[in-house]
Amino acid sequence: MQIQSYMREKAKLVHQALDDYTAGLEGIPSVLKDAMRYSLLAGGKRFRPVLVLATVEALGGNTQQALPFACAIEMIHTYSLIHDDLPAMDDDDVRRGMPTNHKVYGEAHAILAGDALLTEAFGIMARAAGETGVAPEVALALINEASVAAGAKGMVGGQVDDLLGEGRTVTLAELESIHHRKTGDLIAFSVRAGAMVAGADEVALAALTRYAYRLGLAFQIQDDILDVIGDAVLIGKPVGSDEANQKSTYPALLGLEESKKRLNEITEQAKNAIIGHDGINPERLLQIADYLLARDR
Amino acid sequence: MQIQSYMREKAKLVHQALDDYTAGLEGIPSVLKDAMRYSLLAGGKRFRPVLVLATVEALGGNTQQALPFACAIEMIHTYSLIHDDLPAMDDDDVRRGMPTNHKVYGEAHAILAGDALLTEAFGIMARAAGETGVAPEVALALINEASVAAGAKGMVGGQVDDLLGEGRTVTLAELESIHHRKTGDLIAFSVRAGAMVAGADEVALAALTRYAYRLGLAFQIQDDILDVIGDAVLIGKPVGSDEANQKSTYPALLGLEESKKRLNEITEQAKNAIIGHDGINPERLLQIADYLLARDR
């Protein structure tokens, strides 16, 4: 199967699970359910949950055991997008080709829909042990890692520094530190979740973690490049918004050509991290890295 | 020991643990740490974590094992206050006698400080098994219950309906449904966390859960009453704000005298739920119920 088809199939699996789960939430205000589902089911690449599933397969693990973690990660990612888009933060009106959550449901409901998605994510992970047979110790370790990756040391801290950096030129080291926390930690957690559910040993886990951080950085550089040269229709949001928001980006700091060169190097580093390891069948993960390099949205 | 001293002592224990934990957070932006600590360490009654500790003691359990859950609950409670106070929600300027979080740190940082506190809370609970010897299955069950109590079915859903009810008169049944979710579920979770850490059986757990929901409702009725007849200096926020915000309250729906009568009845129901059970030493929990009835802040 081609990598595009593979990713589409996995994304569909995750989408269906998220749809089923949120449709089944009973006893909650309908506007809250609508607001949660609006952003959660808006589509998107499902890059993080697909990584969870591809990693568990690369290690010969059980996809059904990994699915709750894949869904939880997408819920955490979606909550972060809803909050980042708020007027008090990035003040974005369009996301994935649709009005942002607060534009449709108002700020209060957007904040609360984000809060609810984050909170549900931890419940889904906590129930995974009982429902799918993941070892309780593994589920607890993953809940802890999710908290660190998404919390003050990880994603939230990265967003704070990202906001603080607006309007001034940050150094390349600062920019990479922001990306490491704002997107890298959750991408690394996605790969680690798949690996830990599959029972990866420490050596494989370290290799896959390095792959994930390099992949996350490549993903971010490509995002920055697409904001300069991409097609707004494909991306689903206006291009040039980074420059308009005075965001520091790779093209702004290094220029477009140097950014592309760096994207290629880092993608190679990601791939090299997982080649030649016993117990890792790297094919799909290598294809995902190449796919990201070539993506136009 | 008098109940006031007992509650002060337990509140101090929790405060110290929260102070130590957040002071030890390394590698996070200083403004984020400051914003988190500003609200978390602002004082308050520490009612929920004190309930956790009093319940674990009522069952002869281990306070140290319950402490991480007590801290997590206070972090969840604090995050909810920060978000509820935002301009898009209740738009409050003063809380516990101090400017609200967004008044000091701005809306973006207030949203993110709330997000971070919620996220950290789940990490603290996940690590409790490894660090204090709580059984992994118990930790997972509590993380799941926390997610339900704080999420779309519980606290967040209650806040959505609370906002939807502003400016119109809700029925008593609607009001109690809002309180049940907005404050009751987290108070019930506090008692259940103490009970489950102490290994309570199903009968004791059911009795304590009923106690907690009645206590939570009494707490809310007293809150409403204090907003009418209380002393703004003691409460730490302006009185009369419910009426100004057109919030439905017990005094508004039932009148002040009938509200006081109902407060007394519900407090008695709370106490009766836990009297005469094998394995529950109810003394402190009964005193806490009486203390809440008589409180002036």
Side-chain angles (χ1 to χ4, degrees), chain A residues 8-280:
Chain A
R8 259 200 308 275
E9 184 192 279
K10 297 299 174 197
K12 206 169 152 188
L13 184 71
V14 171
H15 186 94
Q16 191 61 52
L18 291 169
D19 192 353
D20 291 347
Y21 178 74
T22 52
L25 281 174
E26 283 174 12
I28 82 170
S30 59
V31 65
L32 178 61
K33 187 193 261 198
D34 291 348
M36 290 166 73
R37 286 169 58 84
Y38 177 77
S39 293
L40 192 61
L41 304 178
K45 293 173 286 289
R46 310 290 187 199
F47 171 48
R48 291 157 191 80
V50 168
L51 266 182
V52 177
L53 302 180
T55 304
V56 83
E57 288 182 2
L59 294 160
N62 178 334
T63 303
Q64 285 307 310
Q65 289 188 336
L67 194 56
F69 297 95
C71 288
I73 289 166
E74 190 68 3
M75 291 171 92
I76 293 172
H77 174 59
T78 302
Y79 121 77
S80 78
L81 299 180
I82 295 173
H83 282 195
D84 282 4
D85 285 339
L86 287 166
M89 304 240 224
D90 295 347
D91 195 15
D92 281 319
D93 295 347
V94 178
R95 161 83 63 187
R96 293 172 179 166
M98 292 157 66
T100 45
N101 199 291
H102 65 272
K103 281 288 177 189
V104 179
Y105 295 97
E107 279 183 59
H109 289 150
I111 294 167
L112 290 164
D115 292 345
L117 286 168
L118 174 61
T119 308
E120 292 299 321
F122 286 100
I124 288 176
M125 291 190 278
R127 291 190 294 277
E131 291 173 2
T132 71
V134 172
E137 290 77 7
V138 171
L140 285 173
L142 288 173
I143 291 167
N144 177 45
E145 288 205 10
S147 167
V148 174
K153 289 186 191 182
M155 190 173 69
V156 170
Q159 171 68 1
V160 169
D161 279 340
D162 195 15
L163 291 172
L164 290 173
E166 275 181 24
R168 70 178 178 90
T169 304
V170 303
T171 65
L172 188 63
E174 286 177 297
L175 184 65
E176 297 211 338
S177 164
I178 289 169
H179 289 324
H180 190 89
R181 289 171 289 148
K182 192 174 166 176
T183 59
D185 284 345
L186 199 61
I187 288 171
F189 173 65
S190 304
V191 168
R192 291 176 63 87
M196 287 165 72
V197 165
D201 62 29
E202 284 303 317
V203 176
L205 196 57
L208 286 160
T209 303
R210 177 168 164 78
Y211 161 82
Y213 274 114
R214 294 281 95 184
L215 193 74
L217 188 54
F219 182 78
Q220 191 59 53
I221 296 173
Q222 179 70 330
D223 245 23
D224 285 359
I225 290 172
L226 286 173
D227 193 70
V228 179
I229 64 166
D231 180 328
V233 174
L234 290 177
I235 301 172
K237 61 182 178 184
V239 296
S241 65
D242 291 336
E243 198 176 348
N245 291 336
Q246 296 188 275
K247 290 242 178 202
S248 293
T249 64
Y250 280 87
L253 286 179
L254 298 178
L256 197 55
E257 286 316 305
E258 188 61 26
S259 297
K260 287 181 183 172
K261 194 176 147 210
R262 199 164 170 85
L263 172 61
N264 280 302
E265 284 168 5
I266 289 173
T267 302
E268 281 309 303
Q269 291 168 357
K271 291 162 68 177
N272 287 334
I274 52 168
I275 291 173
H277 276 272
D278 285 347
I280 303 178

Side-chain angles (χ1 to χ4, degrees), chain B residues 41-239:
Chain B
L41 304 178
K45 292 174 285 290
R46 310 291 187 198
F47 171 48
R48 292 157 190 79
V50 168
L51 266 182
V52 178
L53 302 181
T55 303
V56 83
E57 288 183 2
L59 295 161
N62 179 333
T63 304
Q64 285 307 311
Q65 289 188 335
L67 195 55
F69 297 96
C71 288
I73 289 166
E74 190 68 3
M75 292 169 92
I76 293 172
H77 173 58
T78 302
Y79 121 76
S80 78
L81 299 181
I82 296 173
H83 282 194
D84 283 3
D85 286 338
L86 287 166
M89 303 241 223
D90 295 346
D91 195 16
D92 281 319
D93 295 347
V94 178
R95 161 83 63 185
R96 294 174 179 165
M98 293 157 67
T100 46
N101 199 290
H102 65 272
K103 281 287 174 187
V104 179
Y105 295 97
E107 279 183 59
H109 288 150
I111 294 167
L112 290 164
D115 291 346
L117 286 168
L118 174 61
T119 309
E120 293 299 321
F122 285 100
I124 288 176
M125 291 190 280
R127 291 189 295 276
E131 290 174 2
T132 72
V134 172
E137 290 78 6
V138 170
L140 284 174
L142 288 173
I143 291 167
N144 177 44
E145 289 206 9
S147 167
V148 175
K153 290 187 190 181
M155 191 173 70
V156 171
Q159 171 68 1
V160 169
D161 279 341
D162 196 16
L163 291 172
L164 291 173
E166 275 181 26
R168 70 177 178 92
T169 304
V170 303
T171 64
L172 188 62
E174 286 177 296
L175 184 65
E176 297 210 339
S177 164
I178 290 169
H179 289 325
H180 190 89
R181 288 171 290 148
K182 190 173 167 177
T183 60
D185 283 346
L186 198 62
I187 288 171
F189 174 65
S190 304
V191 167
R192 290 176 63 87
M196 287 164 71
V197 165
D201 62 31
E202 284 302 317
V203 176
L205 196 57
L208 287 160
T209 303
R210 176 166 165 77
Y211 160 83
Y213 274 114
R214 295 281 95 185
L215 194 75
L217 188 53
F219 183 79
Q220 191 58 52
I221 297 173
Q222 179 70 330
D223 245 23
D224 285 358
I225 291 172
L226 287 173
D227 194 70
V228 178
I229 65 166
D231 180 330
V233 175
L234 290 177
I235 301 171
K237 61 182 179 184
V239 296

